């Protein structure tokens, strides 16, 4: 393309490219998230640029690399039509092929592998924000590049290019598993850092430390080591592992979608239907065992002014902030859900009226003293100091449906708001509704 020179020596193509770069969404990220994202991506690019000069290139290695990339492409295609779960840490099983590349080939291939697969995924799937894809793939490049460097630094008597037999194959598997664990630590450590920097109230245990996440990570690690062993014995055998990986990928995404059907997309809490179903189960248990049970309905006072000031998208960020405050201050067995609009519902198992009042008052005081700041977008820097009103009802030892219990709590909430808001109303059979 011919370039037209402009004053100052700048050409039209250069200015167009500069304009496109200036529109990248990464520049709108708040600090220190922006510096973290750019720093990790630059580090991956620098390491990848240096690695080729230290590599001995062989056609056979390139052929294995292309074949393993093809397996990754097939894995992506096998589940391309299944929608991804937003707001969760994705496990796409491409790391199975990354580990096989790391142990079978020189480190430069492990560093480079995420680049074509990231580009292919962005082209074919087109989901999520581009800078997040680029960042996550930069973390994978650094993680599996480090794993490859470690594996190839281990003496051949312990690991080496061939697994051998007897005790040697066991030590080989142990080293491969250790390298996979190192890659997991680096990759997830950088992801954790980005999540925590972008959302200080994020509950990382829900993403990485719960039983389901740990089980998926363990299965993924064992699959990766098994496939790496197969590839090390004979690269042609990777064809035998491909169908299993593709099928498990679809199963994993399906289980994620089933879990997502229970969650409110805006807040990460249980949605109204799931919360009510869980509540009905808990109420039946409480009535059977004679244990108390309390329900609280919480409403943000004057939330309409938030949307009027900053608009609905920024208002959704405020809702997420309130949800984060609720989750961080409740007990592990309490159930929290979004009940629509700016209303939340909380189930307190094995909790009587006084304890439910105490917890609700603590939540009210915490939210009133914990301002919510909008950290990105056009309204970045806005800070809202909000209050909430809470209505509480206690059941479990009395007859009645769960809907009756919710209606009683909602009535107590209405009385708390009519009393001026920023109050807790507790409905009891003996004393009616008490406002505090």
């Amino acid at each position: 393309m011919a370039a037209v020179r402009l004053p100052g020596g700048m050409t039209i193509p250069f200015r167009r490219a500069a304009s496109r770069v200036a529109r990248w969404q990464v520049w709108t990220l708040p600090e220190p998230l922006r510096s973290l994202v750019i720093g990790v991506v630059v580090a991956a690019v620098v390491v990848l640029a240096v690695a080729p000069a230290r590599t001995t290139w062989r056609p056979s290695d390139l052929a294995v690399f292309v074949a393993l990339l093809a397996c990754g492409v097939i894995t992506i295609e096998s589940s391309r039509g299944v929608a991804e779960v937003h707001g969760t840490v994705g496990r796409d099983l491409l790391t199975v092929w990354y580990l096989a590349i790391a142990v079978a080939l020189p480190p430069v291939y492990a560093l480079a592998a995420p680049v074509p697969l990231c580009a292919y995924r962005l082209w074919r799937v087109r989901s999520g924000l581009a800078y997040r894809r680029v960042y996550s793939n930069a973390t994978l490049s650094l993680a599996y590049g480090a794993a490859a460097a470690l594996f190839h630094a281990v003496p051949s008597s312990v690991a080496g290019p061939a697994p051998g037999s007897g005790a040697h194959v066991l030590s080989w598997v142990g080293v491969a598993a250790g390298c996979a664990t190192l890659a997991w630590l680096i990759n997830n450590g950088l992801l954790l850092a980005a999540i925590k920097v972008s959302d200080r109230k994020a509950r990382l245990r829900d993403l990485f430390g719960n039983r389901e996440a740990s089980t998926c990570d363990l299965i993924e690690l064992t699959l990766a080591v098994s496939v790496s062993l197969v590839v090390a014995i004979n690269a042609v055998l990777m064809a035998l592992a491909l169908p299993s990986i593709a099928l498990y990928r679809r199963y994993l995404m399906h289980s994620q979608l089933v879990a997502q059907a229970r969650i409110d997309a805006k807040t990460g809490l249980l949605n109204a239907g799931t919360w009510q179903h869980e509540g009905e189960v808990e109420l039946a248990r409480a009535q059977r065992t004679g244990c108390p049970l309390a329900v609280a309905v919480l409403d943000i006072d004057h939330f309409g002014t938030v949307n009027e000031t900053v608009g609905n998208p920024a208002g959704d960020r405020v809702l997420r902030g309130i949800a984060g405050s609720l989750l961080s201050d409740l007990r592990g067995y309490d159930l929290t859900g979004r009940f629509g609009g700016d209303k939340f519902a909380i189930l307190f198992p094995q909790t009587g009226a006084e304890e439910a009042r105490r917890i609700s008052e603590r939540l009210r005081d915490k939210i009133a003293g914990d301002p919510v700041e909008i950290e990105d977008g056009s309204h970045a820097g806005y800070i809202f100091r909000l209050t909430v009103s809470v209505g509480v009802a206690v059941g479990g030892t009395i007859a009645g449906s769960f809907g009756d219990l919710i209606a009683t709590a909602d009535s107590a909430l209405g009385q708390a708001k009519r009393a001026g808001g920023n109050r807790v109303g507790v409905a009891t059979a003996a004393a009616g509704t008490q406002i505090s």
Side-chain angles (χ1 to χ4, degrees):
M1 178 173 60
V4 178
R5 187 165 298 279
L6 298 175
M10 185 175 290
T11 61
I12 288 179
F14 177 79
R15 292 188 62 179
R16 288 176 179 171
S19 177
R20 285 195 293 267
V21 171
R23 291 196 299 268
W24 286 355
Q25 192 168 9
V26 68
W27 307 119
T28 67
L29 298 178
E31 291 290 357
L33 178 60
R34 181 172 59 200
S35 295
L36 175 63
V37 170
I38 295 174
V40 169
V41 173
V42 169
V45 171
V46 170
V47 174
L48 181 57
V50 171
R54 304 187 178 186
T55 302
T56 301
W57 299 93
R58 291 190 293 266
S60 59
D61 289 343
L62 184 59
V64 173
F65 178 66
V66 171
L68 288 168
L69 286 182
C71 290
V73 167
I74 294 172
T75 302
I76 293 172
E77 286 293 329
S78 68
S79 54
R80 186 170 62 87
V82 182
E84 289 191 332
V85 180
H86 297 287
T88 63
V89 176
R91 293 173 173 84
D92 56 16
L93 294 187
L94 292 179
T95 56
V96 171
W97 308 112
Y98 293 149
L99 183 65
I101 291 171
V103 302
L105 302 172
V108 67
Y109 291 102
L111 288 164
V115 176
L117 290 181
C118 174
Y120 184 84
R121 189 187 186 98
L122 286 172
W123 173 51
R124 294 292 283 166
V125 179
R126 296 183 182 275
S127 64
L129 299 173
Y131 78 85
R132 292 181 180 175
R133 290 289 188 200
V134 173
Y135 176 79
S136 63
N137 280 272
T139 67
L140 287 168
S141 181
L142 293 173
Y144 285 90
L150 175 61
F151 185 85
H152 291 282
V154 175
S156 297
S157 59
V158 179
S165 60
H168 187 268
V169 71
L170 296 179
S171 64
W172 191 99
V173 169
V175 172
C179 292
T181 302
L182 173 66
W184 184 91
L185 290 172
I186 295 173
N187 180 42
N188 285 276
L190 292 172
L191 291 178
L192 283 170
I195 292 172
K196 199 61 180 176
V197 166
S198 63
D199 184 2
R200 293 188 297 270
K201 296 180 180 179
R203 289 165 59 92
L204 302 180
R205 183 181 62 184
D206 293 339
L207 298 174
F208 293 93
N210 59 64
R211 181 180 300 177
E212 182 180 358
S214 300
T215 301
C216 290
D217 286 336
L218 181 60
I219 293 174
E220 192 168 357
L221 185 145
T222 56
L223 284 172
V225 174
S226 300
V227 171
S228 300
L229 178 61
V230 168
V231 172
I233 293 172
N234 191 318
V236 176
L237 298 178
M238 73 177 75
L240 298 177
L242 180 58
S244 299
I245 302 301
L247 287 173
Y248 183 72
R249 162 68 171 151
R250 290 186 65 86
Y251 164 78
L252 185 62
M253 292 189 72
H254 175 73
S255 64
Q256 289 175 335
L257 288 171
V258 170
Q260 181 69 359
R262 295 166 45 87
I263 302 299
D264 172 67
K266 290 184 178 180
T267 61
L269 303 177
L270 294 176
N271 59 36
T274 300
W275 182 86
Q276 185 156 348
H277 173 73
E278 298 287 346
E280 290 170 350
V281 173
E282 287 293 335
L283 178 61
R285 181 182 295 113
Q287 291 174 336
R288 185 174 63 252
T289 60
C291 293
L293 175 144
V295 165
V297 179
L298 180 149
D299 186 77
I300 303 174
D301 297 324
H302 312 298
F303 184 72
T305 59
V306 175
N307 287 332
E308 292 173 1
T309 303
V310 297
N312 290 334
D316 291 343
R317 297 187 186 94
V318 174
L319 288 176
R320 285 194 292 271
I322 297 294
S325 296
L326 294 176
L327 289 174
S328 65
D329 207 51
L330 289 172
R331 302 166 298 185
Y333 52 85
D334 295 329
L335 294 176
T336 309
R338 184 182 179 212
F339 227 53
D342 57 342
K343 188 175 289 187
F344 301 88
I346 308 168
L347 180 74
F348 301 116
Q350 302 179 20
T351 303
E354 285 306 313
E355 187 177 5
R357 177 198 297 275
R358 179 180 57 80
I359 296 172
S360 298
E361 290 180 345
R362 187 180 72 230
L363 288 173
R364 180 197 62 186
D365 294 341
K366 176 179 173 58
I367 292 172
D370 192 8
V372 179
E373 179 180 0
I374 298 176
E375 298 179 343
D376 57 357
S378 59
H379 296 94
Y382 275 74
I383 298 176
F384 292 94
R385 297 184 181 275
L386 302 171
T387 61
V388 296
S389 299
V390 187
V392 179
V394 180
T397 59
I398 59 175
S401 68
F402 192 66
D404 295 334
L405 193 60
I406 296 173
T408 303
D410 199 49
S411 176
L413 169 65
Q415 294 185 52
K417 293 187 77 69
R418 287 192 293 274
N422 194 23
R423 285 171 167 79
V424 175
V426 181
T428 60
T433 300
Q434 299 178 337
I435 307 296
S436 60

